[in-house]
Short mmCIF file of all heavy atoms in Angstrom, two decimals:
data_model
loop_
_atom_site.label_atom_id
_atom_site.label_comp_id
_atom_site.label_asym_id
_atom_site.label_seq_id
_atom_site.Cartn_x
_atom_site.Cartn_y
_atom_site.Cartn_z
N VAL A 263 96.50 263.54 -66.54
CA VAL A 263 96.56 264.91 -66.02
C VAL A 263 97.71 265.63 -66.72
O VAL A 263 98.83 265.10 -66.79
CB VAL A 263 96.79 264.93 -64.49
CG1 VAL A 263 96.96 266.37 -63.99
CG2 VAL A 263 95.64 264.25 -63.76
N THR A 264 97.45 266.81 -67.24
CA THR A 264 98.49 267.55 -67.94
C THR A 264 99.33 268.35 -66.94
O THR A 264 98.86 268.65 -65.84
CB THR A 264 97.88 268.53 -68.95
OG1 THR A 264 97.15 269.55 -68.23
CG2 THR A 264 96.94 267.81 -69.92
N PRO A 265 100.57 268.71 -67.30
CA PRO A 265 101.36 269.58 -66.43
C PRO A 265 100.64 270.89 -66.12
O PRO A 265 100.77 271.43 -65.02
CB PRO A 265 102.64 269.82 -67.24
CG PRO A 265 102.76 268.62 -68.12
CD PRO A 265 101.35 268.25 -68.47
N GLU A 266 99.87 271.39 -67.07
CA GLU A 266 99.10 272.62 -66.85
C GLU A 266 98.07 272.41 -65.74
O GLU A 266 97.93 273.24 -64.84
CB GLU A 266 98.40 273.04 -68.14
CG GLU A 266 97.55 274.28 -68.00
CD GLU A 266 96.89 274.67 -69.32
OE1 GLU A 266 97.30 274.15 -70.38
OE2 GLU A 266 95.96 275.49 -69.29
N GLU A 267 97.35 271.31 -65.79
CA GLU A 267 96.35 271.01 -64.75
C GLU A 267 97.03 270.75 -63.41
O GLU A 267 96.52 271.15 -62.35
CB GLU A 267 95.52 269.80 -65.17
CG GLU A 267 94.63 270.04 -66.38
CD GLU A 267 94.06 268.76 -66.94
OE1 GLU A 267 94.67 267.68 -66.77
OE2 GLU A 267 92.98 268.83 -67.57
N TYR A 268 98.18 270.11 -63.46
CA TYR A 268 98.89 269.76 -62.23
C TYR A 268 99.41 271.00 -61.52
O TYR A 268 99.55 271.00 -60.29
CB TYR A 268 100.04 268.80 -62.55
CG TYR A 268 100.53 267.99 -61.37
CD1 TYR A 268 99.67 267.12 -60.69
CD2 TYR A 268 101.86 268.07 -60.96
CE1 TYR A 268 100.13 266.37 -59.62
CE2 TYR A 268 102.32 267.32 -59.88
CZ TYR A 268 101.44 266.48 -59.23
OH TYR A 268 101.90 265.73 -58.15
N TYR A 269 99.69 272.05 -62.27
CA TYR A 269 100.15 273.30 -61.67
C TYR A 269 99.13 273.82 -60.67
O TYR A 269 99.47 274.20 -59.54
CB TYR A 269 100.42 274.34 -62.75
CG TYR A 269 100.95 275.65 -62.20
CD1 TYR A 269 102.32 275.83 -62.01
CD2 TYR A 269 100.10 276.69 -61.88
CE1 TYR A 269 102.82 277.03 -61.50
CE2 TYR A 269 100.58 277.89 -61.37
CZ TYR A 269 101.94 278.05 -61.18
OH TYR A 269 102.42 279.23 -60.66
N SER A 270 97.87 273.82 -61.05
CA SER A 270 96.81 274.30 -60.15
C SER A 270 96.66 273.42 -58.92
O SER A 270 96.27 273.90 -57.85
CB SER A 270 95.48 274.36 -60.91
OG SER A 270 95.56 275.27 -61.98
N LEU A 271 97.01 272.15 -59.05
CA LEU A 271 96.86 271.21 -57.95
C LEU A 271 98.02 271.23 -56.97
O LEU A 271 97.82 271.09 -55.76
CB LEU A 271 96.70 269.78 -58.50
CG LEU A 271 95.46 269.50 -59.35
CD1 LEU A 271 95.56 268.09 -59.96
CD2 LEU A 271 94.19 269.61 -58.51
N ARG A 272 99.26 271.44 -57.47
CA ARG A 272 100.43 271.19 -56.63
C ARG A 272 101.44 272.32 -56.54
O ARG A 272 102.31 272.29 -55.67
CB ARG A 272 101.16 269.93 -57.10
CG ARG A 272 100.34 268.65 -57.03
CD ARG A 272 99.97 268.31 -55.61
NE ARG A 272 101.15 267.99 -54.81
CZ ARG A 272 101.15 267.86 -53.49
NH1 ARG A 272 100.05 268.06 -52.80
NH2 ARG A 272 102.26 267.55 -52.85
N ALA A 273 101.37 273.32 -57.39
CA ALA A 273 102.40 274.36 -57.38
C ALA A 273 102.47 275.09 -56.04
O ALA A 273 103.54 275.52 -55.61
CB ALA A 273 102.16 275.35 -58.51
N GLY A 274 101.34 275.21 -55.37
CA GLY A 274 101.29 275.96 -54.11
C GLY A 274 102.08 275.36 -52.97
O GLY A 274 102.31 276.03 -51.96
N VAL A 275 102.51 274.10 -53.09
CA VAL A 275 103.28 273.48 -52.01
C VAL A 275 104.73 273.21 -52.43
O VAL A 275 105.46 272.55 -51.69
CB VAL A 275 102.62 272.17 -51.52
CG1 VAL A 275 101.26 272.45 -50.91
CG2 VAL A 275 102.51 271.13 -52.65
N MET A 276 105.13 273.71 -53.58
CA MET A 276 106.51 273.55 -54.04
C MET A 276 107.20 274.91 -53.96
O MET A 276 106.82 275.85 -54.67
CB MET A 276 106.55 273.00 -55.46
CG MET A 276 105.92 271.62 -55.58
SD MET A 276 106.09 270.93 -57.23
CE MET A 276 105.15 269.40 -57.05
N ALA A 277 108.19 275.02 -53.12
CA ALA A 277 108.76 276.32 -52.77
C ALA A 277 109.31 277.09 -53.96
O ALA A 277 109.30 278.32 -53.95
CB ALA A 277 109.87 276.14 -51.73
N GLU A 278 109.78 276.40 -55.00
CA GLU A 278 110.31 277.10 -56.16
C GLU A 278 109.21 277.78 -56.98
O GLU A 278 109.48 278.71 -57.74
CB GLU A 278 111.08 276.12 -57.07
CG GLU A 278 112.23 275.40 -56.40
CD GLU A 278 111.78 274.09 -55.74
OE1 GLU A 278 110.55 273.86 -55.63
OE2 GLU A 278 112.65 273.31 -55.36
N PHE A 279 107.98 277.29 -56.82
CA PHE A 279 106.87 277.77 -57.64
C PHE A 279 105.75 278.39 -56.79
O PHE A 279 104.65 278.61 -57.29
CB PHE A 279 106.29 276.62 -58.46
CG PHE A 279 107.26 276.04 -59.45
CD1 PHE A 279 108.10 275.00 -59.07
CD2 PHE A 279 107.36 276.55 -60.73
CE1 PHE A 279 109.01 274.47 -59.98
CE2 PHE A 279 108.26 276.02 -61.64
CZ PHE A 279 109.09 274.99 -61.26
N ALA A 280 106.04 278.69 -55.54
CA ALA A 280 104.99 279.15 -54.63
C ALA A 280 105.48 280.33 -53.81
O ALA A 280 106.63 280.77 -53.93
CB ALA A 280 104.54 278.01 -53.73
N LYS A 281 104.63 280.84 -52.96
CA LYS A 281 105.00 281.90 -52.03
C LYS A 281 104.17 281.77 -50.76
O LYS A 281 103.10 281.17 -50.76
CB LYS A 281 104.78 283.28 -52.66
CG LYS A 281 103.33 283.62 -52.98
CD LYS A 281 103.22 285.04 -53.55
CE LYS A 281 101.77 285.42 -53.83
NZ LYS A 281 101.64 286.82 -54.32
N VAL A 282 104.69 282.35 -49.69
CA VAL A 282 103.98 282.37 -48.41
C VAL A 282 103.07 283.58 -48.39
O VAL A 282 103.50 284.70 -48.71
CB VAL A 282 104.98 282.44 -47.23
CG1 VAL A 282 104.23 282.42 -45.90
CG2 VAL A 282 105.99 281.31 -47.30
N VAL A 283 101.81 283.37 -48.02
CA VAL A 283 100.88 284.50 -47.92
C VAL A 283 100.39 284.73 -46.50
O VAL A 283 99.79 285.77 -46.21
CB VAL A 283 99.68 284.32 -48.87
CG1 VAL A 283 100.12 284.36 -50.32
CG2 VAL A 283 98.90 283.06 -48.56
N CYS A 284 100.64 283.78 -45.60
CA CYS A 284 100.23 283.95 -44.21
C CYS A 284 101.10 283.09 -43.30
O CYS A 284 101.40 281.94 -43.63
CB CYS A 284 98.75 283.55 -44.03
SG CYS A 284 98.14 283.73 -42.33
N ILE A 285 101.52 283.67 -42.19
CA ILE A 285 102.18 282.93 -41.11
C ILE A 285 101.45 283.26 -39.83
O ILE A 285 101.32 284.43 -39.46
CB ILE A 285 103.67 283.32 -40.96
CG1 ILE A 285 104.42 283.15 -42.28
CG2 ILE A 285 104.33 282.47 -39.87
CD1 ILE A 285 105.87 283.64 -42.23
N SER A 286 100.94 282.24 -39.17
CA SER A 286 100.30 282.42 -37.87
C SER A 286 101.18 281.84 -36.78
O SER A 286 101.81 280.79 -36.98
CB SER A 286 98.92 281.77 -37.83
OG SER A 286 98.02 282.45 -38.67
N MET A 287 101.23 282.53 -35.65
CA MET A 287 102.03 282.10 -34.51
C MET A 287 101.18 282.16 -33.25
O MET A 287 100.31 283.03 -33.13
CB MET A 287 103.25 283.00 -34.34
CG MET A 287 104.22 282.97 -35.49
SD MET A 287 105.47 284.28 -35.35
CE MET A 287 104.51 285.67 -35.93
N GLY A 288 101.43 281.27 -32.32
CA GLY A 288 100.70 281.29 -31.06
C GLY A 288 101.59 280.82 -29.92
O GLY A 288 102.49 280.00 -30.11
N TYR A 289 101.35 281.37 -28.73
CA TYR A 289 102.13 280.96 -27.57
C TYR A 289 101.26 281.02 -26.32
O TYR A 289 100.27 281.75 -26.26
CB TYR A 289 103.36 281.86 -27.40
CG TYR A 289 103.06 283.31 -27.12
CD1 TYR A 289 102.98 283.80 -25.82
CD2 TYR A 289 102.84 284.21 -28.17
CE1 TYR A 289 102.70 285.13 -25.56
CE2 TYR A 289 102.55 285.53 -27.92
CZ TYR A 289 102.48 285.99 -26.62
OH TYR A 289 102.19 287.30 -26.37
N PHE A 290 101.63 280.23 -25.33
CA PHE A 290 100.92 280.19 -24.06
C PHE A 290 101.50 281.24 -23.11
O PHE A 290 102.72 281.40 -23.03
CB PHE A 290 101.07 278.81 -23.40
CG PHE A 290 100.37 277.70 -24.15
CD1 PHE A 290 101.07 276.91 -25.06
CD2 PHE A 290 99.04 277.42 -23.91
CE1 PHE A 290 100.45 275.88 -25.73
CE2 PHE A 290 98.40 276.38 -24.58
CZ PHE A 290 99.11 275.61 -25.49
N LYS A 291 100.63 281.92 -22.41
CA LYS A 291 101.07 282.88 -21.40
C LYS A 291 100.13 282.79 -20.20
O LYS A 291 98.91 282.78 -20.35
CB LYS A 291 101.06 284.32 -21.94
CG LYS A 291 101.61 285.33 -20.94
CD LYS A 291 101.75 286.71 -21.55
CE LYS A 291 102.34 287.68 -20.54
NZ LYS A 291 102.51 289.04 -21.11
N ARG A 292 100.74 282.68 -19.02
CA ARG A 292 99.94 282.55 -17.80
C ARG A 292 99.44 283.91 -17.35
O ARG A 292 100.21 284.85 -17.18
CB ARG A 292 100.76 281.88 -16.70
CG ARG A 292 99.91 281.35 -15.55
CD ARG A 292 100.72 280.36 -14.69
NE ARG A 292 99.90 279.76 -13.65
CZ ARG A 292 99.10 278.73 -13.81
NH1 ARG A 292 99.01 278.17 -15.00
NH2 ARG A 292 98.39 278.25 -12.82
N GLU A 293 98.13 284.04 -17.18
CA GLU A 293 97.50 285.28 -16.75
C GLU A 293 96.47 284.98 -15.67
O GLU A 293 95.55 284.20 -15.89
CB GLU A 293 96.81 285.97 -17.94
CG GLU A 293 97.75 286.51 -19.01
CD GLU A 293 98.36 287.84 -18.61
OE1 GLU A 293 97.91 288.42 -17.60
OE2 GLU A 293 99.28 288.29 -19.32
#
């Protein structure tokens, strides 16, 4: 596997080479 191919596989989980595009949050509330 080349470093170029590995970029597509793993860059998204390495903070120096990635970015956050979604944060979801949830909480319980009594109603």
